[in-house]
Amino acid sequence: MALDLTPVKGGRRPRLRLALTMAWRDIRRHKGRSALIMALIALPIFGLSAAATAGQSMLATPQETVLHELGQTQGRLAPLEAINAKSVQAVRGDLGYPSGQGEPDKNFTPAAPADVVPPGYRAIASQYLQATSPVGQAQVPLQAVVTDVLDPAFAGKYRLLEGTAPSGAGQAVGSPGLFSRFGLQPGGTLTTSAGTFELVGTVRDAGVADGKTVLYLKRDQVPASMAGSLSPAVVYLAGGRPLGWSDAQAFNAKGVQLTSRSLILDPPSLAERPVQPNDAASDGRLQNVLSLAVLGSLVGVLALLEVGLLAGAAFAVGARKQQRDLALLAASGAEAGMLRSVVTASGVWLGLAGGAIGAVLGTAAATIGVLAVRAAGQTIFSGLHVQWLGIVALVAVGLAAGWLAALVPARGVSKQATLSALKSGRTADEPSKWTVRIGFGLAILAAAAMAAGGIVAIAKRGDLQMYRWQPLYLGLIIAGAVMLVFALICFTGRIVDLLTARTAWLPIALRLAARDSARNRGRTVPAVAAVLAAATLSSALMVGTASAMQQVSDTYGWQANLNQVAIPLQYEDYDVGPANSNGGAAAVGRGKMVTVDPSKVTAALKSSIGPDVATNVLRGAVSTNSCPSSSVAENGDYIQAPCIGWVLAEPAANRCELAKDAQPIDLGDWRCTGSMSATNFGTFLPPIVVGGEEELAALLGHQPSDAARAALKSGGIVVTNKIYVDDSGKAAVISVDYHAESSQSNGFYVSVDPGSQPAGPTYLRPDFVPLGTKTLAAVVDAPDKPLHFYGVVSAETAKAMGMPVDPRALLITAAGPLSQAAGDKVASSLAPFMGPFGGFSLEQGPPTFVNLMLWLIVVGGALITLSAAGITAGLALADGRNDHATLAGVGADTRLRKALAGSQILMTALLGTVLGVVAGAIPVVVVLALQRGFPTVLPWLQMAALVVLVPLFGAAAAWLLTKGKLPITRRQTLA
């Protein structure tokens, strides 16, 4: 009778049930290995779920935005800073960026927000006031919010935490930070420059952290003497009718912008409003979500890759332990697919359990963290946003990771012949030719993806819509980076063969480790790949961090040399004159110029800092930021008095040529670097300093050269940058009117390309029309830092040129940095001369914690990489236990077996970290190379430390953990 080999209908279901049952029994039998695999899958899922919940909780929803910004009001009105009646606000009002249209209209007078309140609404004005409060000898700056914060219309924005509402003019409320800063309790008294108040309650602002020191007053509590210091009023509208886009247009025509509850919750369509170039920047929530998604995807892919490889190695060891059971199953007639299902079913069980545990625990941890931070009064999280759909997706990712991790070992087991599987001996892994071919294909695809991303970035460089293309080229480069990692993993087996081909000259432990690595590829390749994935992430972070911090250092605007500060000796005091119709400061230009006595400031400094402090009076003509402000005539016209200053003219041949992106065409051009090469607003140094050798040395940060001293004495000028010196060795000193029109429409010279439209003043230098010119012999002596002044001339030279000279700034040089307490003491001593808000802060330069950050990344990367190496070491030792037993049986001592274990991990970790450092650095270098003007820094010391320390620590750990005594093993045979 012939056999009927037709498949039984519905046979897949019993086979699947059998596979799941056998897998579950194997999981219960080997609890340690199963727990390890579940933990490996759960850890990255835990991190991703926690990051997803925390990241989303940082982004306010529209409902949270209106509650925290507007409370229960329908909206608020604020100045639009409009140049004409055609300016258009952002949809989100003052939470976005408005766009101007057309030319400035000198006849346009913007209205005050309080003057355009529509009927049917109750107006609630809100203003800010800068005050001070004494703490010891220091006057501590204190911000006051002037409005009725406990008005029911502000429910949701302000909340009374403790105490009661003020009941009189002598009572007030404050933020929790105000009470802790001044050591007060409800009912305590606080003395400020605005008066003395009994603090009867604690108020929390939903948009301000509790640690901020804020005093909440009502308008009638502000003394008349400080009315001019109030900020322009912002008016909240309490009413029943929502305010839409048509209302916003009406307000915009009057120079006022509307931040509306209705516009935030239900923004108008593009058909209802004009398309604005800054629409994408007006609401950063979507941009932040996309950025977090891209970053999370990259980190998640690398983390899951590492976990999949580690779990795959664990499954490979388990599959080899199951060979006897699987062989018996195959001998009883099970097909290869059935054998694969038994192994992959373990991956499904463990992946599902690991994904669920990681997602639930990560979400729970993030939830607890968000609630704790919010309860502490921090505003980093706008609310708790649990990503339920993300939790389900991450559980599915964990299940897929477990299934994929078990797939390769399952295929390997299913291909073995039944008779070979029944043997207890071990055979060498047969390398596949397709693995290397796939690696070459992935390497080619990785190069193509990175090249395509580079082409897109270069083609769109300088385009105002570049942000639209950024996700495309970054996505291509990230995809290329991931494919590069997989390509290196495919090459790992061949690299191991090449490295272990000639090992006869090595010590016996290394020779045995090399042969074992080449013989057991199924164990070596996943181990190397797991270390590679961890090192890739660490290397990418190190290169990116080092380059970003170098960019910060390169673009830092030095105000003075290290431990120096220049304070103005003349300033305009606006605390005079009546308040304007907006309830804000006095009209522009009604302040008076105040002159500070430098000898009194020096005496106060020597008293507060010490006798070692050095001061130099810097004299010169007026600078751009010291010009008297414009005033407003009765007809609304702006009146600008002439403001004559003295600067150096730049020879046309020395001008820095700019590209479309407003950066130099040649980034290494000497004409585009050094002092005055970029605008540096806010400095108090005179453009041309009038002084002698002492002032010159203080500004330079070193002793002047002999040529510079001779130039000062002979009537020349010492310039800070050779771009101001012509071919004859002379510099042209010109007088200019800062308020006059310049020779270029925007006040700065631009690239020779007439189609160039610079996006900002970076690398642009003033090009004013000269009123008069004096030519002087010039000597270049550059300061230690690129300070913002042209040069130094003697008093006699300035007099001969007719330059008006006044004391402009006092340059203070301290022996070292000051503590916060010392800074408060100095600020207190200078308050009578500079006003309460003059400030005092010594120049400390750009952030110097980059090395600390890099070493923290090295430590973190080393720990992650070591954990991967340690896990693979444990799996290798478990898988090679029979080999160690054989060595012990032929007389090998404990030291040899320990050395063998350490050598195995040394080779695995060294190869993985080297490949990972390369794989992580390449994509980051590609991305940085596409950013013109962005430096690329390879932190060789930190990368070398990662490459050296991880293998050494891993080898040492393997040596220590290898047991001296081995359990008794026996050869098993089938009856």
Side-chain angles (χ1 to χ4, degrees):
M1 180 178 179
L3 294 176
D4 185 7
L5 301 179
T6 304
V8 178
K9 185 177 181 181
R12 291 183 178 179
R13 186 177 302 172
R15 288 199 299 269
L16 178 59
R17 186 183 301 113
L18 176 61
L20 291 173
T21 301
M22 292 186 65
W24 180 250
R25 289 177 178 175
D26 183 73
I27 291 172
R28 296 183 61 186
R29 187 183 305 123
H30 302 92
K31 295 183 175 63
R33 186 180 70 234
S34 301
L36 173 64
I37 296 175
M38 277 196 300
L40 288 173
I41 295 174
L43 281 175
I45 300 298
F46 175 90
L48 291 175
S49 61
T53 301
Q56 286 294 321
S57 298
M58 295 170 63
L59 305 177
T61 63
Q63 291 76 13
E64 291 170 343
T65 299
V66 297
L67 183 65
H68 297 167
E69 293 288 338
L70 303 175
Q72 306 303 315
T73 65
Q74 292 296 337
R76 67 179 174 222
L77 302 176
L80 182 59
E81 304 297 335
I83 59 175
N84 54 32
K86 299 180 180 179
S87 296
V88 180
Q89 71 168 65
V91 174
R92 291 163 54 88
D94 57 22
L95 301 177
Y97 304 96
S99 64
Q101 298 181 4
E103 296 295 327
D105 183 3
K106 68 177 183 179
N107 296 320
F108 175 73
T109 302
D115 297 337
V116 295
V117 175
Y121 295 92
R122 181 168 62 92
I124 308 172
S126 179
Q127 296 172 277
Y128 292 99
L129 174 69
Q130 288 292 337
T132 59
S133 180
V135 175
Q137 295 182 348
Q139 292 290 330
V140 177
L142 176 66
Q143 186 182 65
V145 173
V146 183
T147 189
D148 185 5
V149 294
L150 298 181
D151 190 304
F154 284 138
K157 178 175 175 60
Y158 298 107
R159 180 161 64 96
L160 182 65
L161 296 178
E162 185 181 5
T164 61
S167 59
Q171 294 182 340
V173 291
S175 66
L178 179 71
F179 284 84
S180 61
R181 177 67 176 85
F182 295 99
L184 300 174
Q185 295 293 330
T189 300
L190 178 67
T191 300
T192 71
S193 57
T196 300
F197 303 97
E198 178 189 0
L199 299 181
V200 296
T202 306
V203 169
R204 172 176 291 169
D205 184 345
V208 178
D210 281 0
K212 299 292 185 181
T213 56
V214 184
L215 176 66
Y216 299 102
L217 302 175
K218 295 182 180 179
R219 181 63 183 85
D220 57 5
Q221 293 178 297
V222 178
S225 60
M226 299 189 69
S229 300
L230 287 167
S231 67
V234 173
V235 178
Y236 289 82
L237 302 177
R241 184 179 70 85
L243 296 167
W245 184 247
S246 59
D247 299 293
Q249 289 177 305
F251 289 128
N252 293 168
K254 300 176 182 179
V256 176
Q257 61 181 326
L258 169 68
T259 305
S260 167
R261 173 186 297 271
S262 175
L263 292 178
I264 294 175
L265 295 177
D266 186 21
S269 64
L270 291 177
E272 301 177 67
R273 60 183 176 87
V275 179
Q276 298 174 315
N278 49 22
D279 272 347
S282 293
D283 185 0
R285 190 173 192 273
L286 179 59
Q287 296 290 329
N288 291 332
V289 169
L290 293 176
S291 300
L292 291 174
V294 171
L295 180 61
S297 299
L298 176 60
V299 175
V301 166
L302 293 176
L304 289 174
L305 174 61
E306 178 188 0
V307 166
L309 293 167
L310 290 174
F315 276 120
V317 173
R320 280 194 281 271
K321 299 294 184 182
Q322 284 182 288
Q323 281 185 353
R324 179 180 174 83
D325 296 338
L326 296 176
L328 290 173
L329 188 63
S332 64
E335 301 173 349
M338 182 63 192
L339 300 179
R340 287 196 301 268
S341 299
V342 172
V343 180
T344 55
S346 298
V348 171
W349 280 117
L350 297 176
L352 180 62
I357 292 172
V360 172
L361 292 181
T363 303
T367 299
I368 295 173
V370 170
L371 294 178
V373 170
R374 284 181 54 80
Q378 300 297 321
T379 58
I380 184 174
F381 300 112
S382 60
L384 177 61
H385 305 156
V386 178
Q387 301 298 301
W388 300 108
L389 182 61
I391 292 175
V392 175
L394 288 174
V395 172
V397 169
L399 188 151
W403 177 75
L404 290 174
L407 185 61
V408 175
R411 291 175 61 87
V413 171
S414 65
K415 289 181 179 180
Q416 295 179 356
T418 302
L419 183 59
S420 299
L422 292 174
K423 293 180 180 179
S424 62
R426 294 284 301 276
T427 57
D429 297 333
E430 289 293 333
S432 173
K433 296 181 180 180
W434 280 102
T435 303
V436 177
R437 296 173 183 175
I438 293 173
F440 276 113
L442 289 174
I444 294 173
L445 289 176
M450 292 186 186
I455 292 173
V456 172
I458 294 174
K460 294 298 179 180
R461 179 178 291 168
D463 192 338
L464 296 178
Q465 303 296 322
M466 180 65 182
Y467 68 91
R468 297 181 182 271
W469 297 90
Q470 192 174 26
L472 174 60
Y473 79 79
L474 287 180
L476 288 171
I477 294 174
I478 290 174
V482 175
M483 286 188 288
L484 177 61
V485 172
F486 279 104
L488 291 176
I489 293 174
C490 292
F491 291 146
T492 299
R494 184 58 56 89
I495 294 174
V496 170
D497 288 341
L498 294 175
L499 293 177
T500 59
R502 290 178 173 83
T503 58
W505 58 278
L506 293 174
I508 185 172
L510 289 173
R511 188 163 66 248
L512 290 174
R515 292 178 179 177
D516 182 76
S517 299
R519 182 171 177 265
N520 297 290
R521 280 192 177 189
R523 186 174 68 207
T524 304
V525 173
V528 173
V531 177
L532 186 154
T536 297
L537 184 59
S538 301
S539 174
L541 288 175
M542 282 191 289
V543 176
T545 301
S547 301
M549 297 308 297
Q550 184 63 46
Q551 170 74 356
V552 172
S553 178
D554 292 344
T555 58
Y556 181 78
W558 289 88
Q559 301 295 305
N561 289 308
L562 200 63
N563 295 321
Q564 286 184 339
V565 64
I567 61 175
L569 295 178
Q570 294 182 359
Y571 63 91
E572 194 169 5
D573 185 6
Y574 291 97
D575 290 338
V576 294
N580 59 20
S581 59
N582 299 341
V588 176
R590 294 187 181 180
K592 65 177 181 180
M593 295 304 298
V594 177
T595 301
V596 179
D597 186 349
S599 62
K600 295 182 179 180
V601 176
T602 300
L605 289 170
K606 290 186 178 295
S607 174
S608 57
I609 298 179
D612 294 337
V613 65
T615 58
N616 297 96
V617 178
L618 303 181
R619 297 173 173 82
V622 67
S623 58
T624 54
N625 58 351
S626 298
C627 289
S629 302
S630 59
S631 59
V632 182
E634 293 181 358
N635 60 359
D637 290 339
Y638 287 97
I639 302 175
Q640 289 186 335
C643 183
I644 308 301
W646 293 72
V647 299
L648 290 185
E650 184 176 329
N654 293 351
R655 289 185 171 181
C656 176
E657 297 182 4
L658 303 179
K660 291 183 178 181
D661 57 0
Q663 295 189 55
I665 295 176
D666 180 6
L667 295 173
D669 193 341
W670 64 271
R671 301 172 298 178
C672 307
T673 59
S675 297
M676 305 296 291
S677 61
T679 55
N680 189 4
F681 298 110
T683 181
F684 295 114
L685 300 179
I688 297 179
V689 178
V690 179
E693 294 183 12
E694 184 179 349
E695 289 76 17
L696 178 60
L699 287 167
L700 295 180
H702 60 261
Q703 290 300 317
S705 63
D706 293 337
R709 293 190 183 95
L712 283 180
K713 296 178 181 179
S714 61
I717 181 173
V718 180
V719 298
T720 58
N721 197 324
K722 61 181 179 180
I723 59 177
Y724 297 105
V725 182
D726 60 21
D727 294 337
S728 63
K730 295 183 178 181
V733 183
I734 62 175
S735 57
V736 299
D737 182 2
Y738 291 133
H739 285 166
E741 292 291 334
S742 67
S743 61
Q744 300 291 338
S745 60
N746 62 350
F748 298 92
Y749 74 80
V750 296
S751 169
V752 293
D753 179 7
S756 170
Q757 295 295 330
T762 306
Y763 293 103
L764 303 180
R765 294 190 286 270
D767 188 24
F768 295 100
V769 177
L771 302 176
T773 304
K774 302 289 183 181
T775 303
L776 300 176
V779 172
V780 179
D781 198 346
D784 292 343
K785 308 299 181 184
L787 303 186
H788 198 69
F789 72 103
Y790 292 97
V792 180
V793 297
S794 65
E796 294 78 12
T797 304
K799 183 177 180 180
M801 290 190 301
M803 178 191 297
V805 176
D806 291 310
R808 294 293 173 184
L810 184 68
L811 184 65
I812 303 168
T813 305
L818 300 178
S819 64
Q820 182 178 5
D824 289 343
K825 183 178 179 181
V826 175
S828 176
S829 66
L830 296 183
F833 313 108
M834 300 175 57
F837 312 112
F840 182 86
S841 178
L842 293 177
E843 177 64 73
Q844 295 302 309
T848 57
F849 51 83
V850 59
N851 285 330
L852 176 61
M853 292 181 62
L854 290 176
W855 285 115
L856 289 177
I857 294 174
V858 170
V859 173
L863 291 176
I864 296 174
T865 311
L866 278 174
S867 65
I871 293 171
T872 55
L875 294 172
L877 292 175
D879 192 37
R881 180 173 297 172
N882 290 336
D883 297 335
H884 281 259
T886 301
L887 285 174
V890 298
D893 60 4
T894 303
R895 289 181 299 175
L896 177 59
R897 292 186 292 102
K898 284 178 171 286
L900 173 60
S903 300
Q904 289 174 325
I905 303 307
L906 179 66
M907 295 186 62
T908 299
L910 181 61
L911 181 57
T913 51
V914 169
L915 294 178
V917 166
V918 174
I922 288 177
V924 179
V925 170
V926 171
V927 172
L928 297 179
L930 297 175
Q931 314 298 320
R932 261 180 35 92
F934 203 100
T936 301
V937 178
L938 296 176
W940 295 109
L941 179 61
Q942 285 79 11
M943 290 193 296
L946 185 68
V947 170
V948 173
L949 293 180
V950 169
L952 290 180
F953 277 110
W959 190 90
L960 291 173
L961 296 176
T962 300
K963 296 181 179 180
K965 295 182 179 181
L966 293 173
I968 298 176
T969 60
R970 65 183 177 88
R971 180 180 178 87
Q972 293 181 339
T973 59
L974 294 176

